[in-house]
Amino acid sequence: MKECQFIQTGEIDSVSKWISENLLSPENLPYSFLYGGKRITRQEPNWLFEQSSSKLDENHTQYQTVLSEPETGLSVRCVAVQNHKYPVVEWTLWLENTGSADTPLLSDVRAVDAV
């Protein structure tokens, strides 16, 4: 598990840095899950990682990442919204089997994997 650092009010730049180093980094995902018995905490070899962002309004930016395993069709989409007025980011995970067969067993999903 990763250490969760609390950010003081007014440290909006720290939230932006955290987003860059965690939500947008395939090497340091803020979520995890067991897939076929293996804990997934980062982009695995042969998996794909895509990211995009869009400004929703003057106070909010939306980030989207997609971690996918082409062989089985597992797709893990993370949609996050950063509030630029307050040091806040929230996200939701969406897991989908885009393949034509069952994926390996998926369990112990941790939308936030931190201590």
Side-chain angles (χ1 to χ4, degrees), residues 46-75:
N46 301 321
W47 288 39
L48 305 174
F49 185 82
E50 301 171 29
Q51 62 175 306
S52 62
S53 64
S54 60
K55 191 139 177 95
L56 300 177
D57 59 39
E58 69 179 47
N59 292 318
H60 299 91
T61 301
Q62 177 176 290
Y63 301 93
Q64 178 172 286
T65 62
V66 179
L67 179 66
S68 56
E69 203 276 288
E71 188 175 315
T72 64
L74 175 66
S75 175

PDB file of all heavy atoms in Angstrom, residues 46-75:
ATOM      1  N   ASN A  46       2.831  -5.610 -21.379  1.00  0.00           N
ATOM      2  CA  ASN A  46       1.846  -5.904 -22.427  1.00  0.00           C
ATOM      3  C   ASN A  46       0.470  -5.294 -22.160  1.00  0.00           C
ATOM      4  O   ASN A  46      -0.444  -5.499 -22.947  1.00  0.00           O
ATOM      5  CB  ASN A  46       1.704  -7.411 -22.675  1.00  0.00           C
ATOM      6  CG  ASN A  46       3.017  -8.042 -23.078  1.00  0.00           C
ATOM      7  OD1 ASN A  46       3.795  -7.450 -23.832  1.00  0.00           O
ATOM      8  ND2 ASN A  46       3.311  -9.203 -22.542  1.00  0.00           N
ATOM      9  N   TRP A  47       0.287  -4.591 -21.055  1.00  0.00           N
ATOM     10  CA  TRP A  47      -0.963  -3.875 -20.814  1.00  0.00           C
ATOM     11  C   TRP A  47      -0.830  -2.476 -21.417  1.00  0.00           C
ATOM     12  O   TRP A  47       0.271  -1.973 -21.628  1.00  0.00           O
ATOM     13  CB  TRP A  47      -1.262  -3.764 -19.327  1.00  0.00           C
ATOM     14  CG  TRP A  47      -1.672  -5.044 -18.667  1.00  0.00           C
ATOM     15  CD1 TRP A  47      -1.168  -6.294 -18.893  1.00  0.00           C
ATOM     16  CD2 TRP A  47      -2.656  -5.206 -17.658  1.00  0.00           C
ATOM     17  NE1 TRP A  47      -1.775  -7.212 -18.077  1.00  0.00           N
ATOM     18  CE2 TRP A  47      -2.700  -6.569 -17.303  1.00  0.00           C
ATOM     19  CE3 TRP A  47      -3.501  -4.334 -16.997  1.00  0.00           C
ATOM     20  CZ2 TRP A  47      -3.562  -7.068 -16.330  1.00  0.00           C
ATOM     21  CZ3 TRP A  47      -4.355  -4.832 -16.032  1.00  0.00           C
ATOM     22  CH2 TRP A  47      -4.386  -6.192 -15.714  1.00  0.00           C
ATOM     23  N   LEU A  48      -1.946  -1.849 -21.691  1.00  0.00           N
ATOM     24  CA  LEU A  48      -1.957  -0.508 -22.265  1.00  0.00           C
ATOM     25  C   LEU A  48      -2.423   0.497 -21.215  1.00  0.00           C
ATOM     26  O   LEU A  48      -3.241   0.174 -20.351  1.00  0.00           O
ATOM     27  CB  LEU A  48      -2.892  -0.456 -23.471  1.00  0.00           C
ATOM     28  CG  LEU A  48      -2.614  -1.482 -24.571  1.00  0.00           C
ATOM     29  CD1 LEU A  48      -3.694  -1.415 -25.628  1.00  0.00           C
ATOM     30  CD2 LEU A  48      -1.247  -1.243 -25.175  1.00  0.00           C
ATOM     31  N   PHE A  49      -1.906   1.727 -21.300  1.00  0.00           N
ATOM     32  CA  PHE A  49      -2.316   2.797 -20.396  1.00  0.00           C
ATOM     33  C   PHE A  49      -2.525   4.056 -21.227  1.00  0.00           C
ATOM     34  O   PHE A  49      -1.628   4.482 -21.947  1.00  0.00           O
ATOM     35  CB  PHE A  49      -1.246   3.051 -19.325  1.00  0.00           C
ATOM     36  CG  PHE A  49      -1.655   4.061 -18.284  1.00  0.00           C
ATOM     37  CD1 PHE A  49      -2.439   3.681 -17.210  1.00  0.00           C
ATOM     38  CD2 PHE A  49      -1.244   5.384 -18.386  1.00  0.00           C
ATOM     39  CE1 PHE A  49      -2.813   4.606 -16.241  1.00  0.00           C
ATOM     40  CE2 PHE A  49      -1.610   6.317 -17.415  1.00  0.00           C
ATOM     41  CZ  PHE A  49      -2.400   5.920 -16.342  1.00  0.00           C
ATOM     42  N   GLU A  50      -3.716   4.612 -21.157  1.00  0.00           N
ATOM     43  CA  GLU A  50      -4.041   5.841 -21.885  1.00  0.00           C
ATOM     44  C   GLU A  50      -4.542   6.874 -20.893  1.00  0.00           C
ATOM     45  O   GLU A  50      -5.131   6.522 -19.875  1.00  0.00           O
ATOM     46  CB  GLU A  50      -5.129   5.568 -22.918  1.00  0.00           C
ATOM     47  CG  GLU A  50      -4.779   4.519 -23.943  1.00  0.00           C
ATOM     48  CD  GLU A  50      -5.983   4.138 -24.798  1.00  0.00           C
ATOM     49  OE1 GLU A  50      -6.864   4.992 -24.995  1.00  0.00           O
ATOM     50  OE2 GLU A  50      -6.034   2.997 -25.232  1.00  0.00           O
ATOM     51  N   GLN A  51      -4.335   8.143 -21.221  1.00  0.00           N
ATOM     52  CA  GLN A  51      -4.833   9.201 -20.356  1.00  0.00           C
ATOM     53  C   GLN A  51      -5.300  10.387 -21.182  1.00  0.00           C
ATOM     54  O   GLN A  51      -4.823  10.611 -22.296  1.00  0.00           O
ATOM     55  CB  GLN A  51      -3.768   9.637 -19.356  1.00  0.00           C
ATOM     56  CG  GLN A  51      -2.525  10.215 -19.994  1.00  0.00           C
ATOM     57  CD  GLN A  51      -1.555  10.741 -18.965  1.00  0.00           C
ATOM     58  OE1 GLN A  51      -1.935  11.547 -18.129  1.00  0.00           O
ATOM     59  NE2 GLN A  51      -0.319  10.301 -19.037  1.00  0.00           N
ATOM     60  N   SER A  52      -6.259  11.112 -20.628  1.00  0.00           N
ATOM     61  CA  SER A  52      -6.752  12.330 -21.260  1.00  0.00           C
ATOM     62  C   SER A  52      -7.270  13.256 -20.165  1.00  0.00           C
ATOM     63  O   SER A  52      -7.511  12.830 -19.035  1.00  0.00           O
ATOM     64  CB  SER A  52      -7.864  12.019 -22.273  1.00  0.00           C
ATOM     65  OG  SER A  52      -8.977  11.431 -21.619  1.00  0.00           O
ATOM     66  N   SER A  53      -7.422  14.519 -20.511  1.00  0.00           N
ATOM     67  CA  SER A  53      -7.966  15.474 -19.559  1.00  0.00           C
ATOM     68  C   SER A  53      -8.776  16.523 -20.302  1.00  0.00           C
ATOM     69  O   SER A  53      -8.562  16.755 -21.494  1.00  0.00           O
ATOM     70  CB  SER A  53      -6.860  16.145 -18.744  1.00  0.00           C
ATOM     71  OG  SER A  53      -6.034  16.914 -19.584  1.00  0.00           O
ATOM     72  N   SER A  54      -9.710  17.124 -19.578  1.00  0.00           N
ATOM     73  CA  SER A  54     -10.507  18.205 -20.153  1.00  0.00           C
ATOM     74  C   SER A  54     -10.946  19.144 -19.033  1.00  0.00           C
ATOM     75  O   SER A  54     -11.230  18.708 -17.918  1.00  0.00           O
ATOM     76  CB  SER A  54     -11.724  17.652 -20.902  1.00  0.00           C
ATOM     77  OG  SER A  54     -12.556  16.922 -20.023  1.00  0.00           O
ATOM     78  N   LYS A  55     -10.959  20.406 -19.347  1.00  0.00           N
ATOM     79  CA  LYS A  55     -11.388  21.412 -18.376  1.00  0.00           C
ATOM     80  C   LYS A  55     -12.914  21.463 -18.425  1.00  0.00           C
ATOM     81  O   LYS A  55     -13.501  21.710 -19.472  1.00  0.00           O
ATOM     82  CB  LYS A  55     -10.779  22.762 -18.728  1.00  0.00           C
ATOM     83  CG  LYS A  55     -10.934  23.786 -17.665  1.00  0.00           C
ATOM     84  CD  LYS A  55      -9.647  24.579 -17.531  1.00  0.00           C
ATOM     85  CE  LYS A  55      -9.799  25.680 -16.514  1.00  0.00           C
ATOM     86  NZ  LYS A  55      -9.344  25.312 -15.209  1.00  0.00           N
ATOM     87  N   LEU A  56     -13.550  21.190 -17.278  1.00  0.00           N
ATOM     88  CA  LEU A  56     -15.009  21.195 -17.221  1.00  0.00           C
ATOM     89  C   LEU A  56     -15.554  22.611 -17.064  1.00  0.00           C
ATOM     90  O   LEU A  56     -16.570  22.963 -17.670  1.00  0.00           O
ATOM     91  CB  LEU A  56     -15.495  20.320 -16.065  1.00  0.00           C
ATOM     92  CG  LEU A  56     -15.086  18.850 -16.127  1.00  0.00           C
ATOM     93  CD1 LEU A  56     -15.571  18.109 -14.887  1.00  0.00           C
ATOM     94  CD2 LEU A  56     -15.616  18.203 -17.390  1.00  0.00           C
ATOM     95  N   ASP A  57     -14.895  23.398 -16.224  1.00  0.00           N
ATOM     96  CA  ASP A  57     -15.223  24.811 -16.027  1.00  0.00           C
ATOM     97  C   ASP A  57     -14.009  25.456 -15.364  1.00  0.00           C
ATOM     98  O   ASP A  57     -12.965  24.820 -15.235  1.00  0.00           O
ATOM     99  CB  ASP A  57     -16.521  24.997 -15.210  1.00  0.00           C
ATOM    100  CG  ASP A  57     -16.463  24.361 -13.830  1.00  0.00           C
ATOM    101  OD1 ASP A  57     -15.405  24.424 -13.165  1.00  0.00           O
ATOM    102  OD2 ASP A  57     -17.489  23.802 -13.399  1.00  0.00           O
ATOM    103  N   GLU A  58     -14.140  26.695 -14.930  1.00  0.00           N
ATOM    104  CA  GLU A  58     -12.957  27.375 -14.391  1.00  0.00           C
ATOM    105  C   GLU A  58     -12.425  26.762 -13.096  1.00  0.00           C
ATOM    106  O   GLU A  58     -11.265  26.973 -12.739  1.00  0.00           O
ATOM    107  CB  GLU A  58     -13.226  28.861 -14.173  1.00  0.00           C
ATOM    108  CG  GLU A  58     -14.189  29.174 -13.050  1.00  0.00           C
ATOM    109  CD  GLU A  58     -14.395  30.668 -12.866  1.00  0.00           C
ATOM    110  OE1 GLU A  58     -14.611  31.359 -13.868  1.00  0.00           O
ATOM    111  OE2 GLU A  58     -14.321  31.116 -11.710  1.00  0.00           O
ATOM    112  N   ASN A  59     -13.229  25.959 -12.409  1.00  0.00           N
ATOM    113  CA  ASN A  59     -12.810  25.376 -11.136  1.00  0.00           C
ATOM    114  C   ASN A  59     -12.602  23.861 -11.166  1.00  0.00           C
ATOM    115  O   ASN A  59     -12.242  23.295 -10.137  1.00  0.00           O
ATOM    116  CB  ASN A  59     -13.826  25.710 -10.039  1.00  0.00           C
ATOM    117  CG  ASN A  59     -13.836  27.178  -9.702  1.00  0.00           C
ATOM    118  OD1 ASN A  59     -12.793  27.802  -9.598  1.00  0.00           O
ATOM    119  ND2 ASN A  59     -15.017  27.742  -9.565  1.00  0.00           N
ATOM    120  N   HIS A  60     -12.843  23.212 -12.298  1.00  0.00           N
ATOM    121  CA  HIS A  60     -12.783  21.748 -12.329  1.00  0.00           C
ATOM    122  C   HIS A  60     -12.105  21.234 -13.597  1.00  0.00           C
ATOM    123  O   HIS A  60     -12.409  21.694 -14.695  1.00  0.00           O
ATOM    124  CB  HIS A  60     -14.187  21.150 -12.252  1.00  0.00           C
ATOM    125  CG  HIS A  60     -14.917  21.513 -11.006  1.00  0.00           C
ATOM    126  ND1 HIS A  60     -15.726  22.620 -10.928  1.00  0.00           N
ATOM    127  CD2 HIS A  60     -14.925  20.938  -9.787  1.00  0.00           C
ATOM    128  CE1 HIS A  60     -16.231  22.706  -9.700  1.00  0.00           C
ATOM    129  NE2 HIS A  60     -15.751  21.697  -8.982  1.00  0.00           N
ATOM    130  N   THR A  61     -11.214  20.267 -13.406  1.00  0.00           N
ATOM    131  CA  THR A  61     -10.601  19.554 -14.526  1.00  0.00           C
ATOM    132  C   THR A  61     -10.899  18.079 -14.350  1.00  0.00           C
ATOM    133  O   THR A  61     -10.783  17.543 -13.247  1.00  0.00           O
ATOM    134  CB  THR A  61      -9.073  19.768 -14.561  1.00  0.00           C
ATOM    135  OG1 THR A  61      -8.809  21.161 -14.685  1.00  0.00           O
ATOM    136  CG2 THR A  61      -8.430  19.021 -15.726  1.00  0.00           C
ATOM    137  N   GLN A  62     -11.292  17.440 -15.443  1.00  0.00           N
ATOM    138  CA  GLN A  62     -11.552  15.993 -15.415  1.00  0.00           C
ATOM    139  C   GLN A  62     -10.389  15.260 -16.072  1.00  0.00           C
ATOM    140  O   GLN A  62      -9.908  15.659 -17.126  1.00  0.00           O
ATOM    141  CB  GLN A  62     -12.839  15.658 -16.157  1.00  0.00           C
ATOM    142  CG  GLN A  62     -13.101  14.160 -16.207  1.00  0.00           C
ATOM    143  CD  GLN A  62     -14.423  13.847 -16.869  1.00  0.00           C
ATOM    144  OE1 GLN A  62     -15.468  14.126 -16.313  1.00  0.00           O
ATOM    145  NE2 GLN A  62     -14.363  13.283 -18.061  1.00  0.00           N
ATOM    146  N   TYR A  63      -9.947  14.205 -15.417  1.00  0.00           N
ATOM    147  CA  TYR A  63      -8.891  13.349 -15.938  1.00  0.00           C
ATOM    148  C   TYR A  63      -9.477  11.960 -16.145  1.00  0.00           C
ATOM    149  O   TYR A  63     -10.274  11.492 -15.336  1.00  0.00           O
ATOM    150  CB  TYR A  63      -7.731  13.251 -14.946  1.00  0.00           C
ATOM    151  CG  TYR A  63      -7.114  14.581 -14.619  1.00  0.00           C
ATOM    152  CD1 TYR A  63      -7.549  15.323 -13.523  1.00  0.00           C
ATOM    153  CD2 TYR A  63      -6.094  15.100 -15.406  1.00  0.00           C
ATOM    154  CE1 TYR A  63      -6.980  16.549 -13.230  1.00  0.00           C
ATOM    155  CE2 TYR A  63      -5.524  16.325 -15.112  1.00  0.00           C
ATOM    156  CZ  TYR A  63      -5.982  17.046 -14.020  1.00  0.00           C
ATOM    157  OH  TYR A  63      -5.421  18.259 -13.731  1.00  0.00           O
ATOM    158  N   GLN A  64      -9.069  11.312 -17.214  1.00  0.00           N
ATOM    159  CA  GLN A  64      -9.499   9.940 -17.438  1.00  0.00           C
ATOM    160  C   GLN A  64      -8.292   9.092 -17.819  1.00  0.00           C
ATOM    161  O   GLN A  64      -7.493   9.495 -18.662  1.00  0.00           O
ATOM    162  CB  GLN A  64     -10.544   9.858 -18.545  1.00  0.00           C
ATOM    163  CG  GLN A  64     -10.969   8.425 -18.830  1.00  0.00           C
ATOM    164  CD  GLN A  64     -12.143   8.352 -19.778  1.00  0.00           C
ATOM    165  OE1 GLN A  64     -13.254   8.649 -19.388  1.00  0.00           O
ATOM    166  NE2 GLN A  64     -11.891   7.955 -21.008  1.00  0.00           N
ATOM    167  N   THR A  65      -8.162   7.953 -17.154  1.00  0.00           N
ATOM    168  CA  THR A  65      -7.134   6.989 -17.525  1.00  0.00           C
ATOM    169  C   THR A  65      -7.816   5.659 -17.806  1.00  0.00           C
ATOM    170  O   THR A  65      -8.860   5.346 -17.232  1.00  0.00           O
ATOM    171  CB  THR A  65      -6.090   6.791 -16.409  1.00  0.00           C
ATOM    172  OG1 THR A  65      -6.716   6.275 -15.242  1.00  0.00           O
ATOM    173  CG2 THR A  65      -5.374   8.087 -16.082  1.00  0.00           C
ATOM    174  N   VAL A  66      -7.227   4.911 -18.707  1.00  0.00           N
ATOM    175  CA  VAL A  66      -7.725   3.574 -19.013  1.00  0.00           C
ATOM    176  C   VAL A  66      -6.538   2.617 -18.998  1.00  0.00           C
ATOM    177  O   VAL A  66      -5.581   2.785 -19.752  1.00  0.00           O
ATOM    178  CB  VAL A  66      -8.440   3.510 -20.379  1.00  0.00           C
ATOM    179  CG1 VAL A  66      -8.914   2.098 -20.666  1.00  0.00           C
ATOM    180  CG2 VAL A  66      -9.604   4.498 -20.435  1.00  0.00           C
ATOM    181  N   LEU A  67      -6.606   1.640 -18.099  1.00  0.00           N
ATOM    182  CA  LEU A  67      -5.624   0.565 -18.012  1.00  0.00           C
ATOM    183  C   LEU A  67      -6.297  -0.660 -18.610  1.00  0.00           C
ATOM    184  O   LEU A  67      -7.372  -1.048 -18.163  1.00  0.00           O
ATOM    185  CB  LEU A  67      -5.259   0.314 -16.547  1.00  0.00           C
ATOM    186  CG  LEU A  67      -4.256  -0.795 -16.251  1.00  0.00           C
ATOM    187  CD1 LEU A  67      -2.884  -0.451 -16.814  1.00  0.00           C
ATOM    188  CD2 LEU A  67      -4.176  -1.024 -14.746  1.00  0.00           C
ATOM    189  N   SER A  68      -5.701  -1.235 -19.644  1.00  0.00           N
ATOM    190  CA  SER A  68      -6.370  -2.372 -20.298  1.00  0.00           C
ATOM    191  C   SER A  68      -5.403  -3.508 -20.579  1.00  0.00           C
ATOM    192  O   SER A  68      -4.217  -3.299 -20.826  1.00  0.00           O
ATOM    193  CB  SER A  68      -7.059  -1.922 -21.586  1.00  0.00           C
ATOM    194  OG  SER A  68      -6.154  -1.307 -22.461  1.00  0.00           O
ATOM    195  N   GLU A  69      -5.966  -4.694 -20.508  1.00  0.00           N
ATOM    196  CA  GLU A  69      -5.214  -5.922 -20.771  1.00  0.00           C
ATOM    197  C   GLU A  69      -5.744  -6.493 -22.080  1.00  0.00           C
ATOM    198  O   GLU A  69      -6.824  -7.064 -22.122  1.00  0.00           O
ATOM    199  CB  GLU A  69      -5.432  -6.888 -19.601  1.00  0.00           C
ATOM    200  CG  GLU A  69      -4.338  -7.915 -19.448  1.00  0.00           C
ATOM    201  CD  GLU A  69      -4.533  -9.114 -20.351  1.00  0.00           C
ATOM    202  OE1 GLU A  69      -5.428  -9.907 -20.094  1.00  0.00           O
ATOM    203  OE2 GLU A  69      -3.757  -9.233 -21.311  1.00  0.00           O
ATOM    204  N   PRO A  70      -5.027  -6.291 -23.188  1.00  0.00           N
ATOM    205  CA  PRO A  70      -5.541  -6.647 -24.513  1.00  0.00           C
ATOM    206  C   PRO A  70      -5.872  -8.130 -24.696  1.00  0.00           C
ATOM    207  O   PRO A  70      -6.805  -8.470 -25.420  1.00  0.00           O
ATOM    208  CB  PRO A  70      -4.422  -6.243 -25.472  1.00  0.00           C
ATOM    209  CG  PRO A  70      -3.534  -5.329 -24.712  1.00  0.00           C
ATOM    210  CD  PRO A  70      -3.705  -5.672 -23.270  1.00  0.00           C
ATOM    211  N   GLU A  71      -5.142  -9.009 -24.020  1.00  0.00           N
ATOM    212  CA  GLU A  71      -5.345 -10.444 -24.227  1.00  0.00           C
ATOM    213  C   GLU A  71      -6.728 -10.912 -23.756  1.00  0.00           C
ATOM    214  O   GLU A  71      -7.377 -11.704 -24.422  1.00  0.00           O
ATOM    215  CB  GLU A  71      -4.256 -11.233 -23.507  1.00  0.00           C
ATOM    216  CG  GLU A  71      -4.281 -12.718 -23.826  1.00  0.00           C
ATOM    217  CD  GLU A  71      -3.119 -13.438 -23.190  1.00  0.00           C
ATOM    218  OE1 GLU A  71      -1.986 -12.935 -23.259  1.00  0.00           O
ATOM    219  OE2 GLU A  71      -3.362 -14.510 -22.618  1.00  0.00           O
ATOM    220  N   THR A  72      -7.179 -10.417 -22.607  1.00  0.00           N
ATOM    221  CA  THR A  72      -8.465 -10.863 -22.074  1.00  0.00           C
ATOM    222  C   THR A  72      -9.569  -9.834 -22.248  1.00  0.00           C
ATOM    223  O   THR A  72     -10.750 -10.171 -22.139  1.00  0.00           O
ATOM    224  CB  THR A  72      -8.359 -11.189 -20.571  1.00  0.00           C
ATOM    225  OG1 THR A  72      -8.046  -9.989 -19.866  1.00  0.00           O
ATOM    226  CG2 THR A  72      -7.300 -12.236 -20.323  1.00  0.00           C
ATOM    227  N   GLY A  73      -9.215  -8.578 -22.465  1.00  0.00           N
ATOM    228  CA  GLY A  73     -10.219  -7.538 -22.659  1.00  0.00           C
ATOM    229  C   GLY A  73     -10.604  -6.779 -21.402  1.00  0.00           C
ATOM    230  O   GLY A  73     -11.531  -5.972 -21.429  1.00  0.00           O
ATOM    231  N   LEU A  74      -9.904  -6.996 -20.288  1.00  0.00           N
ATOM    232  CA  LEU A  74     -10.210  -6.222 -19.086  1.00  0.00           C
ATOM    233  C   LEU A  74      -9.852  -4.759 -19.328  1.00  0.00           C
ATOM    234  O   LEU A  74      -8.773  -4.443 -19.816  1.00  0.00           O
ATOM    235  CB  LEU A  74      -9.424  -6.733 -17.879  1.00  0.00           C
ATOM    236  CG  LEU A  74      -9.606  -5.895 -16.604  1.00  0.00           C
ATOM    237  CD1 LEU A  74     -11.038  -5.996 -16.091  1.00  0.00           C
ATOM    238  CD2 LEU A  74      -8.612  -6.308 -15.540  1.00  0.00           C
ATOM    239  N   SER A  75     -10.784  -3.870 -18.975  1.00  0.00           N
ATOM    240  CA  SER A  75     -10.563  -2.433 -19.082  1.00  0.00           C
ATOM    241  C   SER A  75     -10.911  -1.797 -17.741  1.00  0.00           C
ATOM    242  O   SER A  75     -12.010  -2.005 -17.215  1.00  0.00           O
ATOM    243  CB  SER A  75     -11.444  -1.846 -20.190  1.00  0.00           C
ATOM    244  OG  SER A  75     -11.320  -0.443 -20.230  1.00  0.00           O
TER     245      SER A  75
END
